[in-house]
């Protein structure tokens, strides 16, 4: 038994052939599609129980929580670092250092920045009490505009080496 079609062009009703008798529209493709066997939608047969949905949502929330915690622990290590300041900074002298005499100009010495150091304390320690941090910036021009942000392990020139050597030894 052939399915009776309606023409989509002229709306002629109950056509049994492959061509519309009114407007000669070819209906063979439409007929083939209509005659295909009907397939049930497999998604309509799946039933999800309420407890299954609850477990899935709980697992999703746990996963998101673990992801957030992991990003705080592993992606931001600087927030969990321990800062220990050294009470006795290390003074690095050149390997070929000779004693300083009154006639000989002072050789520059260097200092390696430790955790907790700041320019004012370094200037006072090596250049004497009342010395300002500006002395250190003048001797180390790369510190301009970042006086409050010196890096650990950064090597600084000490401007008055003679006095620093005399006080250290």
């Amino acid at each position: 038994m052939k399915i009776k079609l309606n023409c989509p062009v002229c709306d002629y009703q109950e056509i049994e052939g492959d061509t519309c008798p009114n407007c000669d529209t070819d209906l063979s493709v439409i007929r083939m599609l209509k005659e295909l066997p009907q397939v049930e939608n497999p998604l309509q047969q799946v039933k999800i129980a309420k407890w299954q949905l609850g477990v899935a949502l709980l697992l999703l929330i746990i996963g998101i929580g673990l992801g957030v915690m992991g990003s705080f622990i592993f992606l931001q290590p600087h927030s969990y670092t321990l800062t220990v300041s050294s009470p006795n900074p290390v003074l690095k002298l050149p390997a070929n250092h000779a004693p300083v005499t009154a006639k000989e100009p002072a050789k520059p010495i260097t200092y390696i920045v430790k955790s907790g150091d700041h320019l004012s304390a370094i200037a006072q320690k090596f250049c004497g009490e009342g010395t300002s941090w500006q002395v250190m910036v003048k001797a180390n021009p790369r510190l301009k505009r970042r006086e409050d942000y010196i890096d650990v392990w950064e090597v600084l020139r000490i401007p008055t080496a003679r006095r620093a050597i005399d006080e250290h030894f």
Side-chain angles (χ1 to χ4, degrees):
M1 178 176 152
K2 282 197 164 186
I3 298 174
K4 295 184 179 181
L5 299 174
N6 296 334
C7 179
V9 177
C10 69
D11 202 29
Y12 191 83
Q13 303 293 315
E14 299 185 8
I15 303 168
E16 291 184 9
D18 288 339
T19 307
C20 176
N22 189 33
C23 64
D24 292 328
T25 302
D26 184 15
L27 303 175
S28 60
V29 175
I30 297 174
R31 181 166 304 286
M32 285 190 307
L33 291 174
K34 290 279 187 180
E35 290 175 354
L36 286 174
Q38 294 295 321
V39 179
E40 292 183 28
N41 188 353
L43 296 178
Q44 290 176 345
Q45 295 176 354
V46 176
K47 300 282 183 178
I48 298 176
K50 288 183 180 180
W51 69 270
Q52 290 172 326
L53 184 60
V55 169
L57 288 174
L58 180 65
L59 290 175
L60 179 65
I61 292 170
I62 290 172
I64 290 172
L66 289 174
V68 168
M69 287 177 17
S71 69
F72 279 114
I73 293 171
F74 296 112
L75 297 180
Q76 299 175 356
H78 63 277
S79 63
Y80 296 101
T81 56
L82 178 64
T83 304
V84 179
S85 60
S86 173
N88 299 322
V90 177
L91 179 66
K92 290 280 188 176
L93 297 175
N96 58 357
H97 174 70
V100 178
T101 62
K103 296 177 185 175
E104 186 179 325
K107 293 183 181 179
I109 61 170
T110 58
Y111 173 74
I112 299 174
V113 176
K114 305 290 183 248
S115 179
D117 282 346
H118 49 81
L119 288 180
S120 299
I122 296 170
Q124 286 181 2
K125 178 165 180 66
F126 292 106
C127 304
E129 289 295 319
T131 307
S132 176
W133 57 268
Q134 286 99 346
V135 172
M136 294 299 296
V137 173
K138 195 173 191 178
N140 301 280
R142 68 183 180 282
L143 294 177
K144 280 190 179 183
R145 294 192 191 122
R146 64 177 191 99
E147 294 86 6
D148 294 330
Y149 304 104
I150 56 174
D151 296 322
V152 176
W153 299 107
E154 188 172 359
V155 178
L156 301 177
R157 274 189 68 235
I158 305 298
T160 55
R162 178 180 307 188
R163 185 171 184 166
I165 291 172
D166 292 341
E167 287 177 4
H168 187 68
F169 293 108

